[in-house]
Amino acid sequence: MAKASPTLEFDTDWEYSSAPESTDHIQIKPQNELFINGDFVVPSDGNYFDTINPASEKTLSKVGHATADDVDKAVKAARKAVKGPWSKMDGAERGKYIFRIARLIQEKAREFAVIESMDGGKPIRESRDVDIPLVSAHFFYYAGWADKLEYAFPGKDTTPIGVAGQIIPWNFPLLMAAWKIAPALATGNAVVLKPAETTPLTALKLAEVLQEADLPPGVVNIITGAGKTGQAIVDHPDVDKIAFTGSTEVGKMIMRAVAGTGKRYTLELGGKAANIIFEDAPIDQAVEGIVNSIFFNQGHVCCAGSRLFVQESIADTIISKLKDRMETLIIGDPLDKNTDIGAINSKMQLDKIKMYVKLGQKEGGTIHQSSYSLPKKGFWYAPTLFTDVSQSHRVVQEEIFGPVLAIQTFRTVDEVITKANNIPYGLSGGVWTDKGSKIFKISKAVRAGVVWANTFNKFDPSSPFGGYKESGMGREGGLEGLMPYVNLV
Ligand code: NAI
Ligand code: MG
């Protein structure tokens, strides 16, 4: 059990008693098939792969490996569904299905949250209080649009674009499925969705919910596999649109693959957000904000505030308070309700984080890490700060996707704007100040899809999300999130 900091003045030798969330009510099937045309079907080559719990390295379940043939079956089922009554159905009727899905997710929220934490490593507090409530909120939100598309696009009629291939990552598994499926259904499309290979279980549970909601067969197909399966979706000639969230590298490959095919696409890729703290900011809230911006979900967040810019006059205070706060973060069992920092999603991701921290040290950066010991089994990384780094360092320029913060200082507003924008990414940013004028200046000048002011990592289904530059194209969420799924006539 992790101990709270012995360095804080008020802290005597106290420990938290563990408070693990029960897994008694959870059912994880030992083997999962592919969800195609409303049924669970055996993959065409009969192959399965394991998904593990990254906190224990134990296998949770076997999951079907979808081949190009299976992708073809799923796309055919989706095409049949769009040609059938689904896309011509009255919007209000379509909305009823989506409302039903939203309610069923709410009813099973605890089960979804526990499975999400077991399969991906994120703390139960986050999956329970952030991920799953946002999932049902997204379905509720887009259910509401289904019969109001004429108001979303005044003076225009909309038609669905057809079959959407959707490929999602492992950092917010069910939430990314919701971001993609809900607007597609509201606008009358059919879907072939592929979850990430390390976190397929909640998407497969969602497939059970879709059955229970009586969604017509083929409207949503959920198939599992790794990059090759994703590529087969991208390359399939009868897919009309690709929606992808993941690495910039794969995003670029997808752009190349769809170029000239007429397929539409939206890409939500990497980030390296600037979190900017001015000397007039509320210091303690800002420290909490920094913790939330980079240590939330082990830093597996594309919009994480991985670059911190502190005004020079308060840098020492902020860094010392941050170090104290890092000592009190509890790292360990994702299912323990006390846990702040869970497991790193995979061995591969852990190796990438370690590689970057070594590199940052080699480049001359100074590191500080929380002092507690990490669990022996599983994939873990202690919260880490880098100081003595500058704009040219790779740990400042490149996405690490782990609990690693690069800290720099600044003196003037213009200087910090230049530094914040000196990056190939533009997904998000943050600004902490007492002064409204600075908030307006920064949020306009920082080229990023979202800039939070005196807060960080806040999401709402009505708010569009997406990037500039190498962070991607297109928006998800809000009214804007309907646009990629309709033809306007
Ligand atoms: P990835 O981009 O390889 O995986 C994301 C999804 O794309 C997964 O479902 C994967 O199976 C699929 N995929 C992989 N190769 C594909 C291909 N050629 N064609 C179609 N689909 C393909 O990301 P990965 O390898 O899991 O993580 C690598 C890095 O990417 C992370 O360290 C992080 O920096 C970044 N990343 C960013 C995310 C974001 O939310 N923007 C999410 C996940 C990773
Ligand atoms: Mg897993």
Side-chain angles (χ1 to χ4, degrees):
M1 193 62 241
K3 245 188 204 179
S5 166
T7 62
L8 290 184
E9 273 167 19
F10 56 80
D11 186 18
T12 52
D13 197 18
W14 50 277
E15 281 184 22
Y16 286 100
S17 303
S18 64
E21 176 69 53
S22 160
T23 53
D24 293 351
H25 58 304
I26 305 307
Q27 281 180 352
I28 297 179
K29 290 192 239 160
Q31 181 168 305
N32 285 279
E33 323 299 343
L34 312 172
F35 184 64
I36 298 177
N37 204 28
D39 282 323
F40 287 95
V41 298
V42 174
S44 60
D45 65 0
N47 283 338
Y48 292 80
F49 61 96
D50 289 345
T51 183
I52 66 164
N53 180 341
S56 64
E57 297 176 55
K58 286 200 181 119
T59 298
L60 290 169
S61 178
K62 286 196 174 309
V63 177
H65 172 258
T67 62
D69 275 352
D70 297 313
V71 169
D72 186 51
K73 273 184 212 150
V75 172
K76 285 204 169 96
R79 178 62 61 197
K80 205 167 133 219
V82 218
K83 283 194 180 147
W86 176 248
S87 61
K88 284 153 218 97
M89 193 182 282
D90 196 29
E93 281 304 304
R94 240 180 13 244
K96 282 185 200 167
Y97 285 101
I98 312 172
F99 276 121
R100 209 177 290 158
I101 294 165
R103 283 196 301 270
L104 284 166
I105 292 167
Q106 273 187 328
E107 277 171 24
K108 299 176 200 296
R110 195 51 64 95
E111 202 176 345
F112 273 113
V114 172
I115 297 174
E116 200 75 306
S117 283
M118 291 173 79
D119 202 13
K122 65 171 62 196
I124 186 72
R125 251 193 4 239
E126 280 169 21
S127 45
R128 184 194 64 193
D129 299 346
V130 182
D131 292 61
I132 310 304
L134 276 172
V135 169
S136 50
H138 260 85
F139 279 105
F140 275 120
Y141 175 79
Y142 281 110
W145 274 121
D147 62 348
K148 301 176 195 70
L149 295 177
E150 61 196 285
Y151 302 103
F153 304 102
K156 303 268 188 196
D157 279 334
T158 62
T159 58
I161 54 167
V163 175
Q166 306 182 324
I167 300 164
I168 58 171
W170 40 263
N171 54 343
F172 291 89
L174 193 64
L175 184 57
M176 290 303 102
W179 278 26
K180 300 227 170 352
I181 294 174
L185 297 191
T187 44
N189 296 280
V191 163
V192 176
L193 175 111
K194 189 194 85 63
E197 50 275 35
T198 56
T199 54
L201 294 181
T202 46
L204 291 164
K205 192 96 207 149
L206 176 66
E208 292 172 19
V209 162
L210 302 177
Q211 273 186 330
E212 206 178 324
D214 264 334
L215 190 72
V219 171
V220 174
N221 305 275
I222 298 179
I223 57 174
T224 42
K228 251 185 140 173
T229 309
Q231 204 174 341
I233 297 175
V234 172
D235 291 341
H236 197 289
D238 203 29
V239 167
D240 301 297
K241 178 215 154 67
I242 297 293
F244 172 77
T245 300
S247 61
T248 296
E249 190 194 348
V250 174
K252 286 180 179 173
M253 280 160 60
I254 291 176
M255 262 177 104
R256 282 194 288 271
V258 301
T261 63
K263 282 178 196 166
R264 288 165 61 171
Y265 59 94
T266 42
L267 306 171
E268 203 260 276
L269 310 173
K272 192 80 183 177
N275 196 13
I276 301 168
I277 321 281
F278 285 99
E279 60 192 3
D280 59 3
I283 300 292
D284 290 327
Q285 283 99 315
V287 170
E288 274 313 296
I290 298 165
V291 167
N292 173 32
S293 81
I294 184 66
F295 301 140
F296 173 59
N297 200 21
Q298 297 72 251
H300 296 336
V301 185
C302 47
C303 50
S306 47
R307 289 181 301 153
L308 178 67
F309 292 98
V310 190
Q311 202 156 16
E312 209 173 77
S313 54
I314 53 159
D316 289 347
T317 314
I318 291 272
I319 293 168
S320 123
K321 280 182 181 259
L322 192 55
K323 285 179 178 172
D324 278 350
R325 180 67 179 97
M326 279 162 70
E327 288 297 314
T328 64
L329 291 171
I330 297 174
I331 185 164
D333 181 6
L335 286 183
D336 190 328
K337 291 166 208 156
N338 295 309
T339 295
D340 296 305
I341 299 189
I344 300 299
N345 182 265
S346 66
K347 168 92 171 43
M348 210 175 84
Q349 190 59 31
L350 180 60
D351 290 344
K352 179 177 170 184
I353 297 167
K354 286 182 178 165
M355 182 279 283
Y356 268 110
V357 171
K358 257 198 200 134
L359 183 74
Q361 287 173 291
K362 231 168 103 192
E363 287 179 314
T366 306
I367 71 163
H368 172 84
Q369 293 184 316
S370 329
S371 61
Y372 37 67
S373 53
L374 300 174
K376 299 256 166 331
K377 220 88 197 100
F379 313 129
W380 309 93
Y381 204 79
T384 302
L385 304 182
F386 264 107
T387 48
D388 302 318
V389 287
S390 66
Q391 290 293 99
S392 60
H393 284 114
R394 282 182 62 193
V395 285
V396 171
Q397 287 289 323
E398 296 174 21
E399 183 178 55
I400 301 174
F401 227 61
V404 181
L405 179 65
I407 306 180
Q408 293 173 269
T409 59
F410 68 94
R411 289 184 183 167
T412 68
V413 177
D414 290 335
E415 179 196 350
V416 78
I417 289 170
T418 309
K419 282 181 167 169
N421 284 333
N422 176 15
I423 194 99
Y425 294 114
L427 194 56
S428 64
V431 51
W432 297 78
T433 169
D434 203 24
K435 243 185 151 35
S437 58
K438 276 190 211 149
I439 291 175
F440 284 121
K441 184 152 186 193
I442 294 284
S443 55
K444 271 176 108 170
V446 170
R447 285 175 51 74
V450 54
V451 178
W452 287 286
N454 294 329
T455 186
F456 211 96
N457 277 339
K458 287 277 183 290
F459 298 94
D460 187 275
S462 63
S463 199
F465 186 86
Y468 285 58
K469 301 191 272 186
E470 290 199 12
S471 289
M473 39 233 312
R475 295 290 178 263
E476 292 182 306
L479 179 54
E480 289 79 358
L482 292 166
M483 199 85 85
Y485 290 98
V486 292
N487 298 309
L488 296 179
V489 284

